Amino acid sequence: MPTLRVAFVQGRPRFGRAAENLERGLALAAGVEAGLVVLPELWSSGYVFSSHREVAELSEDAATGATARALTGAARREGRYYVAGFAERHRGRFYNSAMLVGRSGVRAVYRKLHLFEREQDWFSPGDLPLEVHRVGPARVGLLICFDWRFPEVARALALMGADLLAHPSNLVFANAQEAMRTRSLENRVFAVTANRTGEEARQGGKVRFTGRSQIVDPDGHVAARAGVREAVARAVDCDLALARDKRLTRRTYLFRPRRPEFYRALTAGRSR
Ligand code: ACM
């Protein structure tokens, strides 16, 4: 049976302290055995920006920045994969991004498709296609925080063959963790939500984050969950065969009965 042990890291980064945040995140990760470790959204920079200048100063090149260097070093030393959120600078634009890193370095970048609140002032919306990546025996899709509210993202990744969703987050809505159980159930995939804790109060506003990072199985059961405030890493063995078995009952499958010809409104463009 193909199995991947996956973990989340939950904690509270300090705004603007990339080196310190990366060191703390990796120290928490060092306490768990897992083939893939997921850290929260914008882990290296912090979340509440107050100016475009700050965004520019704290954004990184995906291949050569502080997050890429720290995670590549850890992935090589520990022989495993990492996913973490970071502010990305690319050709004069800024993105709320996540990188997948392995022993050979940065393997993939995902740019958040659905920006939340003031993120829209600071970042460009994601412009890269959704992709599924090999992580050891698993196929992993990435989404970031508020993307949870758009079930199309998880569904598209599952239809592309994802066994597991890696979900770096800075969640603010109290019901997001429960909704992610539904994303898992309706797609029969594992989902690892790595959320941050605490409150960030800066000139740009005050935001409180909900913690409760979790790993959910393809039946929507919570296999591991952190508290609201703790700084912690937790790991779970994911039996990938469960995610690949899309049969619900003897004669009924999850994806085969879909009727996409009736779903055209989903791809018909923008609405309110
Ligand atoms: C969020 O998308 N960080 C709420």
Side-chain angles (χ1 to χ4, degrees), residues 58-79:
L58 295 174
S59 292
E60 309 171 27
D61 182 275
T64 59
T67 302
R69 291 197 308 274
L71 295 190
T72 300
R76 282 197 184 133
R77 275 193 309 278
E78 299 161 8

mmCIF file of all heavy atoms in Angstrom, residues 58-79:
data_model
loop_
_atom_site.group_PDB
_atom_site.id
_atom_site.type_symbol
_atom_site.label_atom_id
_atom_site.label_comp_id
_atom_site.label_asym_id
_atom_site.label_seq_id
_atom_site.Cartn_x
_atom_site.Cartn_y
_atom_site.Cartn_z
ATOM 1 N N LEU A 58 9.677 42.663 1.363
ATOM 2 C CA LEU A 58 9.574 41.334 1.983
ATOM 3 C C LEU A 58 9.286 40.228 0.974
ATOM 4 O O LEU A 58 9.177 39.058 1.355
ATOM 5 C CB LEU A 58 8.496 41.349 3.067
ATOM 6 C CG LEU A 58 8.827 42.256 4.261
ATOM 7 C CD1 LEU A 58 7.661 42.329 5.232
ATOM 8 C CD2 LEU A 58 10.074 41.741 4.983
ATOM 9 N N SER A 59 9.144 40.584 -0.293
ATOM 10 C CA SER A 59 8.876 39.556 -1.304
ATOM 11 C C SER A 59 10.192 38.974 -1.805
ATOM 12 O O SER A 59 11.221 39.642 -1.823
ATOM 13 C CB SER A 59 8.074 40.149 -2.464
ATOM 14 O OG SER A 59 6.777 40.477 -1.997
ATOM 15 N N GLU A 60 10.106 37.711 -2.215
ATOM 16 C CA GLU A 60 11.317 36.950 -2.536
ATOM 17 C C GLU A 60 11.234 36.340 -3.925
ATOM 18 O O GLU A 60 10.148 36.010 -4.392
ATOM 19 C CB GLU A 60 11.469 35.783 -1.548
ATOM 20 C CG GLU A 60 11.365 36.131 -0.097
ATOM 21 C CD GLU A 60 11.322 34.857 0.760
ATOM 22 O OE1 GLU A 60 11.853 33.822 0.326
ATOM 23 O OE2 GLU A 60 10.725 34.931 1.836
ATOM 24 N N ASP A 61 12.406 36.127 -4.480
ATOM 25 C CA ASP A 61 12.479 35.340 -5.707
ATOM 26 C C ASP A 61 12.227 33.870 -5.325
ATOM 27 O O ASP A 61 12.787 33.371 -4.340
ATOM 28 C CB ASP A 61 13.863 35.497 -6.329
ATOM 29 C CG ASP A 61 13.969 34.745 -7.635
ATOM 30 O OD1 ASP A 61 14.272 33.532 -7.598
ATOM 31 O OD2 ASP A 61 13.719 35.354 -8.674
ATOM 32 N N ALA A 62 11.395 33.192 -6.128
ATOM 33 C CA ALA A 62 11.009 31.816 -5.761
ATOM 34 C C ALA A 62 12.185 30.854 -5.799
ATOM 35 O O ALA A 62 12.168 29.837 -5.105
ATOM 36 C CB ALA A 62 9.909 31.335 -6.695
ATOM 37 N N ALA A 63 13.191 31.158 -6.594
ATOM 38 C CA ALA A 63 14.305 30.203 -6.715
ATOM 39 C C ALA A 63 15.467 30.540 -5.800
ATOM 40 O O ALA A 63 16.191 29.636 -5.358
ATOM 41 C CB ALA A 63 14.786 30.167 -8.164
ATOM 42 N N THR A 64 15.649 31.837 -5.498
ATOM 43 C CA THR A 64 16.886 32.229 -4.790
ATOM 44 C C THR A 64 16.636 32.932 -3.457
ATOM 45 O O THR A 64 17.589 33.288 -2.762
ATOM 46 C CB THR A 64 17.712 33.177 -5.683
ATOM 47 O OG1 THR A 64 16.894 34.327 -5.969
ATOM 48 C CG2 THR A 64 18.121 32.504 -6.984
ATOM 49 N N GLY A 65 15.374 33.173 -3.094
ATOM 50 C CA GLY A 65 15.059 33.923 -1.881
ATOM 51 C C GLY A 65 15.302 33.128 -0.603
ATOM 52 O O GLY A 65 15.681 31.951 -0.637
ATOM 53 N N ALA A 66 15.045 33.791 0.524
ATOM 54 C CA ALA A 66 15.323 33.185 1.837
ATOM 55 C C ALA A 66 14.521 31.902 2.052
ATOM 56 O O ALA A 66 15.038 30.919 2.602
ATOM 57 C CB ALA A 66 14.992 34.195 2.934
ATOM 58 N N THR A 67 13.251 31.893 1.620
ATOM 59 C CA THR A 67 12.421 30.693 1.835
ATOM 60 C C THR A 67 12.957 29.525 1.015
ATOM 61 O O THR A 67 13.098 28.403 1.532
ATOM 62 C CB THR A 67 10.948 30.992 1.469
ATOM 63 O OG1 THR A 67 10.494 32.094 2.273
ATOM 64 C CG2 THR A 67 10.055 29.797 1.729
ATOM 65 N N ALA A 68 13.298 29.786 -0.242
ATOM 66 C CA ALA A 68 13.828 28.714 -1.099
ATOM 67 C C ALA A 68 15.127 28.158 -0.508
ATOM 68 O O ALA A 68 15.330 26.936 -0.464
ATOM 69 C CB ALA A 68 14.067 29.238 -2.506
ATOM 70 N N ARG A 69 15.989 29.042 -0.030
ATOM 71 C CA ARG A 69 17.287 28.585 0.499
ATOM 72 C C ARG A 69 17.103 27.773 1.777
ATOM 73 O O ARG A 69 17.664 26.691 1.939
ATOM 74 C CB ARG A 69 18.206 29.780 0.760
ATOM 75 C CG ARG A 69 18.672 30.486 -0.515
ATOM 76 C CD ARG A 69 19.884 31.361 -0.243
ATOM 77 N NE ARG A 69 19.689 32.282 0.868
ATOM 78 C CZ ARG A 69 19.127 33.498 0.776
ATOM 79 N NH1 ARG A 69 18.726 33.941 -0.389
ATOM 80 N NH2 ARG A 69 18.991 34.264 1.849
ATOM 81 N N ALA A 70 16.277 28.286 2.682
ATOM 82 C CA ALA A 70 16.088 27.586 3.970
ATOM 83 C C ALA A 70 15.419 26.232 3.758
ATOM 84 O O ALA A 70 15.836 25.217 4.339
ATOM 85 C CB ALA A 70 15.254 28.449 4.910
ATOM 86 N N LEU A 71 14.378 26.201 2.920
ATOM 87 C CA LEU A 71 13.641 24.937 2.748
ATOM 88 C C LEU A 71 14.454 23.926 1.949
ATOM 89 O O LEU A 71 14.397 22.712 2.221
ATOM 90 C CB LEU A 71 12.290 25.178 2.073
ATOM 91 C CG LEU A 71 11.271 26.011 2.862
ATOM 92 C CD1 LEU A 71 9.914 25.963 2.184
ATOM 93 C CD2 LEU A 71 11.135 25.554 4.299
ATOM 94 N N THR A 72 15.221 24.405 0.967
ATOM 95 C CA THR A 72 16.048 23.464 0.207
ATOM 96 C C THR A 72 17.100 22.841 1.124
ATOM 97 O O THR A 72 17.353 21.630 1.065
ATOM 98 C CB THR A 72 16.724 24.177 -0.990
ATOM 99 O OG1 THR A 72 15.693 24.707 -1.822
ATOM 100 C CG2 THR A 72 17.569 23.220 -1.805
ATOM 101 N N GLY A 73 17.705 23.660 1.980
ATOM 102 C CA GLY A 73 18.702 23.132 2.933
ATOM 103 C C GLY A 73 18.077 22.060 3.810
ATOM 104 O O GLY A 73 18.646 20.969 3.993
ATOM 105 N N ALA A 74 16.897 22.345 4.356
ATOM 106 C CA ALA A 74 16.229 21.379 5.247
ATOM 107 C C ALA A 74 15.827 20.127 4.474
ATOM 108 O O ALA A 74 16.003 18.998 4.957
ATOM 109 C CB ALA A 74 15.013 22.025 5.891
ATOM 110 N N ALA A 75 15.271 20.315 3.271
ATOM 111 C CA ALA A 75 14.821 19.154 2.477
ATOM 112 C C ALA A 75 16.008 18.236 2.167
ATOM 113 O O ALA A 75 15.877 17.002 2.211
ATOM 114 C CB ALA A 75 14.163 19.642 1.185
ATOM 115 N N ARG A 76 17.166 18.828 1.901
ATOM 116 C CA ARG A 76 18.362 18.008 1.610
ATOM 117 C C ARG A 76 18.857 17.290 2.852
ATOM 118 O O ARG A 76 19.138 16.095 2.819
ATOM 119 C CB ARG A 76 19.489 18.918 1.095
ATOM 120 C CG ARG A 76 19.260 19.261 -0.340
ATOM 121 C CD ARG A 76 20.494 19.800 -1.030
ATOM 122 N NE ARG A 76 20.063 20.161 -2.368
ATOM 123 C CZ ARG A 76 20.324 21.284 -2.997
ATOM 124 N NH1 ARG A 76 21.119 22.182 -2.435
ATOM 125 N NH2 ARG A 76 19.858 21.513 -4.190
ATOM 126 N N ARG A 77 18.952 18.009 3.945
ATOM 127 C CA ARG A 77 19.449 17.417 5.205
ATOM 128 C C ARG A 77 18.535 16.294 5.663
ATOM 129 O O ARG A 77 18.987 15.252 6.122
ATOM 130 C CB ARG A 77 19.458 18.475 6.317
ATOM 131 C CG ARG A 77 20.683 19.348 6.371
ATOM 132 C CD ARG A 77 20.733 20.126 7.690
ATOM 133 N NE ARG A 77 19.508 20.844 8.023
ATOM 134 C CZ ARG A 77 19.175 22.041 7.545
ATOM 135 N NH1 ARG A 77 19.961 22.651 6.695
ATOM 136 N NH2 ARG A 77 18.047 22.631 7.902
ATOM 137 N N GLU A 78 17.227 16.520 5.532
ATOM 138 C CA GLU A 78 16.252 15.603 6.143
ATOM 139 C C GLU A 78 15.694 14.604 5.140
ATOM 140 O O GLU A 78 14.968 13.680 5.537
ATOM 141 C CB GLU A 78 15.106 16.437 6.750
ATOM 142 C CG GLU A 78 15.598 17.384 7.835
ATOM 143 C CD GLU A 78 14.606 18.514 8.130
ATOM 144 O OE1 GLU A 78 13.472 18.483 7.612
ATOM 145 O OE2 GLU A 78 14.990 19.431 8.877
ATOM 146 N N GLY A 79 15.990 14.793 3.856
ATOM 147 C CA GLY A 79 15.519 13.868 2.832
ATOM 148 C C GLY A 79 14.009 13.840 2.730
ATOM 149 O O GLY A 79 13.386 12.772 2.669
#
